[in-house]
Amino acid sequence: MASVTLRYFCYGCLVTSATWSVLLFLYFSLGEEPGRGRTPIQHRSQPITKLPLNRKAALRPMLANEGVELSPEMGMIFNEADQEVRDSGYHRHAFNVLISTRLGNHRELPDTRDSQCQDKVYSLALPSASVVICFFNEAFSALLRTVHSVLDRTPAYLLHEIILVDDHSELEELKDNLDLYIKKELQGKVKLVRNRKREGLIRGRMIGASHAAGEVLVFLDSHCEVNQAWLQPLLAPIQKDQRTVVCPVIDIISADTLSYSPSPIVRGGFNWGLHFKWDPVPPAELNRAEGAIGPIRSPTMAGGLFAMNRKYFNELGQYDAGMDIWGGENLEISFRIWMCGGQLLIIPCSRVGHIFRKRRPYGSPGGQDTMAHNSLRLAHVWMDEYKVHALTLTVPRDPDATSLPVCLWTNQEQYLSLRPELHERAYGDVSERVALRKRLQCHTFRWYLDTVYPEMQTVANGNKQPPLFINKGLRRPKVLQRGRLRNLATGRCLMAQGRASQKGGVVVLRPCDPRDPEQEWAYDEESQLVLAGLLCLDVSEVRTFDPPRLMKCHGSGGSQQWSQGKSNRLYQVSVGQCLSVAQPSGPKGYVSMAICDASQAQQWQLEV
């Protein structure tokens, strides 16, 4: 009896050992670490707490940030070379390339999702994704950080490939350097397709999609950073219904500081000039079963970031290949999705950051107005009678009759009534797109307005929507410190040359006087320096050689965002320079912005 018991005990040990061996093998081979296999069987959304260990330092830029918080001094200019990188970066790319380069290819981001999103569990049988990123003359650092953010935060088993489409870029850094980096660093997950001529975003994405093999297409702009567990929430609704097209919430990456901040939950709309706009989410959408983390029906998409089933993308007609470069394609595909039997959703549990550039840094070939050309094609194919200058709708004779239609065009100001100069403009052959609409048996545009976007007609008839954002100016920022701003080289204090209330007045150094209220500065939570509670210290973002001036506080950072840096330097975040005494030994006390150094002329203390 004892030998039988011992034999079964040994069998139990063997089975237990084998079980643990299998479990450990699965854990290490299917782990979550990006680029190292697959995710665990019970995948649950988790924040990334460490960066990949397999980076090669030789080909990547300096990793300047160690955590989620990004130091405002990241953009500080220390020499002429820094100044050139910053200035040329704004000129070429319309954002701070100096900071982008210093950030490197990887950084941690704040998890901006609702906390409930972290508890959602997704199926392991989600479809695979091909991420398509089309770029033209993109900053090398921003492009690589976009790619690495996808690799770092996407389970390997869901990421079929990343397809980069170079739309005939002109910058040298995007040629051999990019080829070499992809070959050596990106582990075979990234394909590079180069267009032989400039095709534009619209046809460029179609080219990228034609090379894709994943079940789902995910389109991203080339200056994005995806956040924690961003892909699973997009794939789940598509798996449930392949006619569902989904967009993440687009978080804000500052063009000046590259700081990452959350966006409010809003949805897409448009106006009768056919320009995209953000709308507040109707209460009915927020009151659904899933509440704040549930999908939100959106009449339109912004267009830069979305996902859809690859076969459905082709069945629905891809993009209109007759459209040029950029503009209007987002509304065209939005109308087509809804009117032809699909649905467009914003997914609050998916967050992707996007650099909102100061301007569009490049034009269209020949300077053509591609937005107008594309919008005309859109209007003539999809908007039915709403495209015309005047509608022949019956005006009720009885002013009290509410059951009869009214002349909507005078209130709604349809597209061509706003742009009369476009009546005779050529927009190409749209017969194929009209045939596509007929083949797909799409609804009318009136159906779209009544069913999908009734708020459009409410606004058009004179009713105002609630404000999308609350004016921050209603609340004064909290003051963090008060005192006189004393320069250590001269021992004198900064004040207005004239009156502290004079808008546009310059500031100078004068002997410190503790009894003078016009020498008192307040540094607040919005990084503003406010003199005597009246005006903010401001610099020109364009004419950086102009002296700092006192201007009305706007609370938007940028030209009024200051940081007390190391060695007591007073650093201006937007221009990347430090406040300095022009002539420390001179009597006039003029100050200016200058390349940052360690001299006492740039050292300041806020003293009580």
Side-chain angles (χ1 to χ4, degrees):
M1 184 68 180
S3 62
V4 172
T5 302
L6 180 60
R7 184 166 64 250
Y8 278 109
F9 174 78
C10 293
Y11 289 157
C13 291
L14 289 172
V15 170
T16 302
S17 299
T19 302
W20 274 107
S21 298
V22 171
L23 288 175
L24 287 171
F25 171 79
L26 290 173
Y27 177 81
F28 286 109
S29 63
L30 304 179
E32 276 189 65
E33 188 173 345
R36 293 184 178 271
R38 304 166 74 87
T39 56
I41 290 178
Q42 291 295 326
H43 175 72
R44 189 177 291 265
S45 302
Q46 293 290 340
I48 303 294
T49 56
K50 61 181 180 179
L51 298 174
L53 301 177
N54 57 348
R55 300 185 205 149
K56 297 179 182 177
L59 284 176
R60 68 176 176 85
M62 170 183 64
L63 183 62
N65 62 313
E66 297 298 332
V68 171
E69 291 297 324
L70 181 61
S71 168
E73 293 183 32
M74 187 73 74
M76 189 176 285
I77 295 169
F78 295 106
N79 49 53
E80 294 291 343
D82 288 348
Q83 188 75 60
E84 172 60 23
V85 170
R86 180 195 176 278
D87 292 348
S88 63
Y90 271 105
H91 176 71
R92 287 180 177 178
H93 308 292
F95 66 89
N96 197 324
V97 174
L98 179 64
I99 294 180
S100 181
T101 304
R102 288 173 173 173
L103 270 179
N105 299 337
H106 311 259
R107 67 160 165 171
E108 294 187 15
L109 298 175
D111 189 346
T112 54
R113 299 172 297 168
D114 188 289
S115 59
Q116 299 175 75
C117 295
Q118 300 177 25
D119 297 325
K120 290 182 71 70
V121 179
Y122 298 97
S123 167
L124 282 176
L126 291 173
S128 63
S130 292
V131 177
V132 178
I133 302 170
C134 186
F135 66 93
F136 172 73
N137 284 355
E138 183 58 85
F140 191 67
S141 57
L143 176 63
L144 291 187
R145 196 162 47 254
T146 300
V147 171
H148 279 290
S149 76
V150 174
L151 293 173
D152 291 349
R153 300 188 181 93
T154 307
Y157 78 100
L158 292 178
L159 183 61
H160 187 81
E161 63 199 345
I162 298 175
I163 298 174
L164 298 180
V165 181
D166 174 19
D167 193 27
H168 204 58
S169 293
E170 301 156 339
L171 300 180
E172 285 299 321
E173 64 188 21
L174 296 175
K175 297 179 182 179
D176 292 344
N177 287 352
L178 182 59
D179 288 331
L180 180 64
Y181 190 90
I182 291 174
K183 181 180 179 180
K184 290 191 173 182
E185 295 294 310
L186 297 180
Q187 304 174 355
K189 275 286 189 181
V190 178
K191 299 178 182 178
L192 177 60
V193 178
R194 293 196 186 270
N195 294 340
R196 294 184 178 180
K197 64 176 183 176
R198 180 89 184 276
E199 298 285 356
L201 173 71
I202 297 166
R203 289 192 290 272
R205 284 184 165 181
M206 294 170 68
I207 291 169
S210 71
H211 286 81
E215 297 168 80
V216 171
L217 296 172
V218 181
F219 295 101
L220 296 179
D221 279 345
S222 54
H223 37 270
C224 294
E225 292 175 67
V226 303
N227 212 314
Q228 320 295 349
W230 70 288
L231 185 58
Q232 297 92 319
L234 298 179
L235 298 178
I238 296 174
Q239 183 186 48
K240 186 176 180 180
D241 180 359
Q242 74 166 16
R243 297 182 302 172
T244 295
V245 181
V246 292
C247 303
V249 175
I250 305 175
D251 284 339
I252 300 166
I253 302 177
S254 167
D256 289 324
T257 66
L258 268 70
S259 60
Y260 188 108
S261 57
S263 287
I265 302 296
V266 290
R267 69 176 194 165
F270 70 97
N271 60 31
W272 287 111
L274 294 186
H275 294 107
F276 174 84
K277 65 186 181 76
W278 293 111
D279 285 343
V281 179
E285 289 287 331
L286 295 175
N287 292 334
R288 294 179 185 270
E290 292 186 73
I293 64 170
I296 296 166
R297 285 161 41 99
S298 184
T300 67
M301 67 166 79
L305 300 79
F306 71 98
M308 65 188 298
N309 178 276
R310 180 166 58 88
K311 291 182 179 178
Y312 182 52
F313 177 71
N314 293 324
E315 291 169 4
L316 197 63
Q318 302 186 357
Y319 282 109
D320 178 357
M323 289 186 169
D324 289 330
I325 307 298
W326 172 90
E329 82 288 344
N330 58 321
L331 298 189
E332 192 272 345
I333 197 171
S334 299
F335 295 165
R336 186 156 34 99
I337 289 165
W338 282 112
M339 292 168 63
C340 304
Q343 64 174 343
L344 178 59
L345 304 178
I346 290 176
I347 309 299
C349 285
S350 176
R351 295 268 181 166
V352 177
H354 178 270
I355 298 177
F356 285 87
R357 299 174 296 185
K358 298 279 192 178
R359 55 182 168 79
R360 187 165 172 246
Y362 42 79
S364 301
Q368 59 180 316
D369 184 355
T370 58
M371 181 71 183
H373 171 84
N374 297 345
S375 296
L376 277 171
R377 294 181 65 87
L378 154 65
H380 282 282
V381 175
W382 297 102
M383 293 181 68
D384 303 330
E385 70 271 18
Y386 285 80
K387 71 178 183 292
V388 299
H389 176 63
L391 299 182
T392 54
L393 294 179
T394 304
V395 180
R397 296 180 180 178
D398 180 357
D400 295 325
T402 57
S403 60
L404 296 176
V406 296
C407 188
L408 292 177
W409 77 266
T410 55
N411 289 328
Q412 294 177 329
E413 300 180 317
Q414 283 82 350
Y415 180 57
L416 291 177
S417 69
L418 286 179
R419 300 290 303 274
E421 76 278 8
L422 300 181
H423 273 285
E424 305 301 322
R425 178 168 177 159
Y427 51 86
D429 183 5
V430 295
S431 58
E432 287 188 8
R433 305 305 287 182
V434 172
L436 171 70
R437 177 177 175 179
K438 184 176 181 179
R439 184 171 70 252
L440 294 175
Q441 300 181 337
C442 304
H443 290 286
T444 65
F445 195 69
R446 180 60 183 264
W447 173 91
Y448 169 85
L449 291 176
D450 289 343
T451 308
V452 179
Y453 200 19
E455 296 83 5
M456 183 64 165
Q457 300 189 72
T458 300
V459 173
N461 289 328
N463 298 316
K464 293 183 177 180
Q465 286 181 314
L468 186 57
F469 302 104
I470 298 174
N471 184 357
K472 293 194 299 182
L474 298 176
R475 182 185 68 86
R476 284 183 175 272
K478 180 182 178 182
V479 173
L480 303 178
Q481 192 176 355
R482 295 182 188 273
R484 298 182 307 280
L485 197 55
R486 185 171 68 88
N487 177 259
L488 299 190
T490 64
R492 292 185 289 178
C493 292
L494 193 68
M495 63 181 297
Q497 187 177 37
R499 303 298 302 175
S501 58
Q502 181 184 345
K503 183 180 176 181
V506 298
V507 289
V508 293
L509 292 174
R510 293 289 183 262
C512 298
D513 184 354
R515 297 167 297 179
D516 187 352
E518 293 196 355
Q519 286 190 3
E520 182 177 271
W521 293 86
Y523 185 70
D524 64 31
E525 60 184 342
E526 293 184 352
S527 301
Q528 299 175 134
L529 278 168
V530 187
L531 180 59
L534 298 171
L535 297 173
C536 281
L537 191 61
D538 187 289
V539 297
S540 171
E541 295 177 282
V542 179
R543 298 168 56 90
T544 55
F545 49 83
D546 280 0
R549 297 180 182 274
L550 294 170
M551 301 296 291
K552 182 179 179 181
C553 301
H554 52 59
S556 301
S559 63
Q560 296 180 358
Q561 186 176 356
W562 298 83
S563 173
Q564 185 81 36
K566 296 177 181 178
S567 303
N568 293 314
R569 288 178 295 216
L570 199 56
Y571 161 63
Q572 213 295 316
V573 173
S574 182
V575 302
Q577 296 181 344
C578 291
L579 185 65
S580 180
V581 183
Q583 294 179 332
S585 59
K588 295 184 178 179
Y590 292 143
V591 297
S592 63
M593 302 308 300
I595 290 175
C596 301
D597 57 36
S599 68
Q600 281 201 327
Q602 292 187 6
Q603 295 183 31
W604 304 82
Q605 285 186 348
L606 195 59
E607 301 176 338
V608 179

